């Protein structure tokens, strides 16, 4: 008899975190699941740590390093259950995570993706709550307009979603040609064609360990530009999609300026409707590069002092 959930974990050089991640999954209140771990060619001892776990629900697949999208897709296609929950190798589930996803699935059985809320944990020391837009909290139901809820923080986060196997079988997979933005790309594709169910109950911790782990606006601007252009033609059909894409264009343009990549900065900036940016965002985009570099360092310093600040708020 197949399990209710397949849990797919992608791992690359997560030796310091992966045992805690896996244990948080094994400690779920709802226990009917299999675990598919895809080690994407780790060069540390992640694989050795994983093999110390003896639960017979765990299957480990070592692969050559091909990137996170390929690793996740490998796991998605190996899954046996009707619903597939995802986790990265350094995030932590609370014990209610799968039970809350199951409640969503049973309440709204025909959605293309199911998601729960999460909290951001910085440097293992303090947490902040995500900020969702156009969503009255508490919330448990189908989202009217996914794109408008995700202008500040995304209601869909990779380690807090479950996707029906039948959606995966329709070739809704992570784009392996994208080096970043692959998760946003998939969420947009699903949202254009399926309903989304969301619970605002917190069931996971998004672990942020260093300034390069989630704090960098983007690691690969050309890939993010490619992702944004994939969905550009649908902006008229989904007006709030334009708003979401412009927020992403802004983030990438700002990072491009900080990195001195003025070519992509200009390409991204020209596609932004500045009516979709608040005053703080417009102001930041006009600042000289040296000031932006200083502000980015200041943001990291403030985070270390437990002061979280965002120009979106």
């Amino acid at each position: 008899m197949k399990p209710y959930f397949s849990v797919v974990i992608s791992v690359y050089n997560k030796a310091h975190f992966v045992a805690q991640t896996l244990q948080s999954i094994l400690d779920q209140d709802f226990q009917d699941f299999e675990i598919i771990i895809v080690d994407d060619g780790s060069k540390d001892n992640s694989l050795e740590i994983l093999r110390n776990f003896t639960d017979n629900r765990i299957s480990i697949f070592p692969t050559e390093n091909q990137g996170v999208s390929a690793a996740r897709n490998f796991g998605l296609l190996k899954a046996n259950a009707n619903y597939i929950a995802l986790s990265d190798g350094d995030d932590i589930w609370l014990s209610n995570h799968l039970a809350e996803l199951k409640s969503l699935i049973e309440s709204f059985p025909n959605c293309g993706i199911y998601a729960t809320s999460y909290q951001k944990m910085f440097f293992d020391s303090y947490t902040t709550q995500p900020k969702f837009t156009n969503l009255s909290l508490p919330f448990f139901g189908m989202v009217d307009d996914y794109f408008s809820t995700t202008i500040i923080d995304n209601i869909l986060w990779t380690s807090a979603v479950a996707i029906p196997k039948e959606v995966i079988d329709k070739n809704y997979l992570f784009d392996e040609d994208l080096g970043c933005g692959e998760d946003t790309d998939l969420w947009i594709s699903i949202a254009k064609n399926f309903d989304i169910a969301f619970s605002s109950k917190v069931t996971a911790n998004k672990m942020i360990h260093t300034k390069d782990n989630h704090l960098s606006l983007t690691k690969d601007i050309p890939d993010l530009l490619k992702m944004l252009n994939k969905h550009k033609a649908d902006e008229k059909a989904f007006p709030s999609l334009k708003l979401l894409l412009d927020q992403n264009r802004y983030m990438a343009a700002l990072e491009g300026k900080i990195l001195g990549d003025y070519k992509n900065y200009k390409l991204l900036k020209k596609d932004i409707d500045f009516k979709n940016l608040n005053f703080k965002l417009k102001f930041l985009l006009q600042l000289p590069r040296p000031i932006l570099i200083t502000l980015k360092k200041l943001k990291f310093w403030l985070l270390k002092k437990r002061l979280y600040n965002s120009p979106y708020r």
Side-chain angles (χ1 to χ4, degrees):
M1 186 174 177
K2 62 185 176 183
Y4 192 93
F5 286 107
S6 293
V7 178
V8 173
I9 310 172
S10 56
V11 176
Y12 179 69
N13 290 347
K14 299 295 184 182
H16 294 298
F17 315 108
V18 71
Q20 188 179 3
T21 295
L22 183 51
Q23 192 60 55
S24 77
I25 294 169
L26 292 171
D27 290 342
Q28 289 297 294
D29 297 333
F30 181 74
Q31 285 283 308
D32 187 11
F33 56 82
E34 66 173 356
I35 301 175
I36 296 168
I37 303 174
V38 184
D39 182 83
D40 187 33
S42 292
K43 293 177 172 57
D44 61 8
N45 64 329
S46 294
L47 202 52
E48 179 183 343
I49 292 169
L50 290 166
R51 285 172 171 159
N52 286 330
F53 286 83
T54 58
D55 193 297
N56 60 13
R57 292 172 296 178
I58 299 173
S59 299
I60 302 173
F61 297 92
T63 65
E64 294 182 5
N65 179 244
Q66 298 180 72
V68 66
S69 291
R72 289 173 181 158
N73 288 343
F74 184 96
L76 289 170
L77 296 175
K78 287 284 184 183
N80 295 300
N82 289 333
Y83 300 97
I84 306 168
L86 297 170
S87 177
D88 286 339
D90 58 350
D91 293 314
I92 305 297
W93 286 359
L94 306 184
S95 64
N96 64 338
H97 180 64
L98 289 181
E100 189 68 11
L101 284 172
K102 183 173 182 285
S103 295
L104 274 175
I105 291 166
E106 292 178 342
S107 300
F108 311 98
N110 298 312
C111 291
I113 193 167
Y114 300 87
T116 58
S117 192
Y118 52 91
Q119 55 191 2
K120 302 175 185 179
M121 180 170 282
F122 292 94
F123 317 116
D124 295 318
S125 61
Y126 76 105
T127 60
T128 64
Q129 303 302 313
K131 175 70 174 177
F132 307 127
T133 46
N134 296 316
L135 197 69
S136 297
L137 301 178
F139 186 90
F140 183 92
M142 289 197 298
V143 176
D144 289 333
D145 181 0
Y146 160 70
F147 305 120
S148 69
T149 67
T150 300
I151 305 308
I152 299 177
D153 287 308
N154 205 321
I155 65 168
L156 301 179
W157 168 53
T158 309
S159 292
V161 301
I163 307 172
K165 177 70 169 173
E166 64 180 5
V167 173
I168 299 299
D169 290 341
K170 292 175 181 176
N171 206 35
Y172 286 89
L173 295 165
F174 292 97
D175 187 340
E176 297 179 20
D177 290 330
L178 294 176
C180 74
E182 72 288 332
D183 45 2
T184 301
D185 172 61
L186 181 57
W187 310 153
I188 290 173
S189 296
I190 292 174
K192 287 189 291 191
N193 295 283
F194 298 92
D195 289 325
I196 292 173
F198 176 70
S199 168
S200 61
K201 186 175 290 187
V202 172
T203 70
N205 289 333
K206 183 175 186 176
M207 309 301 289
I208 300 172
H209 308 289
T210 72
K211 65 181 179 181
D212 296 319
N213 181 1
H214 305 287
L215 298 182
S216 179
L217 292 177
T218 176
K219 298 174 184 175
D220 193 329
I221 292 171
D223 270 3
L224 189 52
L225 184 59
K226 186 193 305 181
M227 184 277 288
L228 294 167
N229 287 338
K230 281 178 65 175
H231 301 285
K232 187 176 180 180
D234 292 316
E235 289 178 339
K236 289 185 178 179
F238 302 93
S240 55
L241 174 60
K242 168 66 174 169
L243 176 59
L244 174 61
L245 294 181
D246 277 350
Q247 305 302 309
N248 282 268
R249 290 182 181 110
Y250 159 80
M251 288 191 296
L254 193 69
E255 186 75 355
K257 195 172 193 179
I258 289 170
L259 296 173
D261 182 359
Y262 288 99
K263 176 183 176 182
N264 283 309
Y265 163 74
K266 291 175 182 177
L267 285 173
L268 288 154
K269 185 179 176 183
K270 74 178 179 60
D271 281 336
I272 297 174
D273 181 347
F274 280 82
K275 294 177 183 177
N276 289 331
L277 303 185
N278 65 32
F279 173 78
K280 286 190 289 185
L281 300 183
K282 295 175 189 175
F283 177 73
L284 284 171
L285 204 55
Q286 302 307 315
L287 290 176
R289 180 173 177 246
I291 294 177
L292 290 174
I293 292 172
T294 300
L295 288 175
K296 188 172 183 180
K297 291 178 180 177
L298 176 61
K299 179 180 180 180
F300 179 64
W301 183 83
L302 289 170
L303 283 171
K304 296 288 283 186
K305 299 296 182 181
R306 302 191 178 194
L307 296 171
Y308 181 74
N309 185 41
S310 168
Y312 292 96
R313 303 190 183 206

